[in-house]
Amino acid sequence: VNPFASYLENAALYKANILCAPPSLWVAMISAHPEEVDLSAVKQAYTVGEPISDTEYDIINGFLQSNHASDRLRNMYGMSEINSMATYATDTVRSPVSAGVAVPYSTVVICDHDTLCELPFGKAGEVFIHTPTAMKEYLYDPKETKELFVRDEFGEKWVRTGDLGILERGGELHLLGRINQRFEAPDGSRIYPYMIEAVLLKMPEVSRMKMVNILHDGSPAYAVHVIPKNLSEDPRHLAEKIFDALSKNDAIPFLPRFIKIRDSFPRNQGGKVDMQKLAMEKDGFISK
């Protein structure tokens, strides 16, 4: 049984009212089940757990609407440690790919990962959450508990999510990835996946991409994995286009060492892209 296809088949069979999955799992399900499926009973459809690109949103939302779901795809954000979602994309959000605005009784701010100082609107940093539903502690793990929580000058407890995001002036949260997925050069400059995505996903040849840290001959580097829209395009020719596009962007302080053109991403048991497997791959790369 293909688990990605069976999810949608069961949703139609049992007339599910609510569907919820990470963006990469949504895309995998749609790829495994491209034919029509009756989702007319679906009144709410969510995406959680990962940042979502405009391309992914269009694929998922288009599939839902063409298969008669009642509502558009909505993004929301939360974590197990707060026992619920922290933000939700209401009908008033300006961007469909934002994670929405804070739910009642919760506050979301962006802070500098190193100094813990709150950052202004529009500045990328770590997402901090204050909510009455935050858990008490990790069982038998005081070290991890201490690293998760921080208290402000008023004694209020905040959850450090480890997620990278931007908060707009209107309160909309845009998720950019995980803080620990960055690559740091010897000179201290940093590259985050969203910086590469901002360039590549605007290219008409690129469908999806992931950036991972790797070791090459014992030295740290970062590699970019790309799924093209046209799988028959020459990989080296596309890689040269990507190197050229990145080199022309002033926001990219240094280029990736390697690019790999592929037709799919490996997935873990939860359906998310398996970043560890990507980081372990050694073959098929094109270097500059």
Side-chain angles (χ1 to χ4, degrees), residues 49-259:
E50 297 172 334
I52 183 171
S53 67
D54 292 309
T55 300
E56 289 170 327
Y57 179 86
D58 290 341
I59 291 172
I60 301 166
N61 195 58
F63 182 85
L64 289 168
Q65 300 308 310
S66 64
N67 287 280
H68 317 296
S70 301
D71 194 18
R72 67 172 176 84
L73 179 70
R74 297 177 186 271
N75 198 10
M76 61 182 183
Y77 171 68
M79 55 192 302
S80 300
E81 289 83 349
I82 66 168
N83 299 301
S84 70
M85 61 184 178
T87 66
Y88 171 70
T90 65
D91 288 328
T92 59
V93 297
R94 294 193 303 170
S95 171
V97 298
S98 81
V101 297
V103 299
Y105 307 108
S106 293
T107 304
V108 175
V109 299
I110 304 298
C111 295
D112 183 275
H113 175 68
D114 299 315
T115 67
L116 307 188
C117 293
E118 186 174 350
L119 297 174
F121 294 116
K123 188 76 172 177
E126 185 175 359
V127 181
F128 279 53
I129 301 172
H130 174 62
T131 173
T133 64
M135 71 174 194
K136 180 180 178 181
E137 62 186 359
Y138 289 116
L139 189 62
Y140 309 133
D141 199 336
K143 181 178 180 293
E144 287 293 324
T145 301
K146 185 177 180 180
E147 292 178 356
L148 177 71
F149 295 116
V150 63
R151 291 190 181 272
D152 61 23
E153 63 268 34
F154 305 106
E156 297 291 341
K157 185 169 69 173
W158 293 79
V159 176
R160 299 190 63 173
T161 66
D163 289 318
L164 187 70
I166 290 176
L167 199 63
E168 293 185 352
R169 188 169 296 277
E172 284 187 45
L173 175 66
H174 290 262
L175 294 174
L176 304 173
R178 295 288 292 170
I179 290 286
N180 61 7
Q181 288 176 346
R182 67 190 180 189
F183 176 76
E184 295 191 25
D187 64 359
S189 55
R190 297 171 176 174
I191 285 282
Y192 288 96
Y194 80 90
M195 300 166 71
I196 306 296
E197 288 175 355
V199 179
L200 266 57
L201 294 183
K202 290 181 181 179
M203 297 178 63
E205 301 90 349
V206 175
S207 174
R208 300 185 68 202
M209 63 132 297
K210 293 293 179 181
M211 182 191 111
V212 292
N213 291 327
I214 64 171
L215 283 176
H216 178 69
D217 293 335
S219 300
Y222 79 95
V224 176
H225 294 254
V226 175
I227 297 178
K229 289 183 179 178
N230 181 5
L231 296 177
S232 63
E233 182 166 2
D234 179 67
R236 182 162 291 279
H237 182 58
L238 177 55
E240 290 174 354
K241 288 183 181 179
I242 292 171
F243 280 124
D244 184 58
L246 292 174
S247 66
K248 292 178 179 178
N249 191 287
D250 294 335
I252 308 298
F254 48 91
L255 298 179
R257 292 277 303 277
F258 306 97
I259 291 175

Side-chain angles (χ1 to χ4, degrees), residues 243-277:
F243 280 124
D244 184 58
L246 292 174
S247 66
K248 292 178 179 178
N249 191 287
D250 294 335
I252 308 298
F254 48 91
L255 298 179
R257 292 277 303 277
F258 306 97
I259 291 175
K260 184 171 183 177
I261 310 301
R262 56 194 306 135
D263 58 5
S264 63
F265 292 131
R267 301 184 183 279
N268 57 30
Q269 290 183 334
K272 292 184 179 181
V273 175
D274 195 324
M275 302 298 288
Q276 289 185 332
K277 281 189 177 180

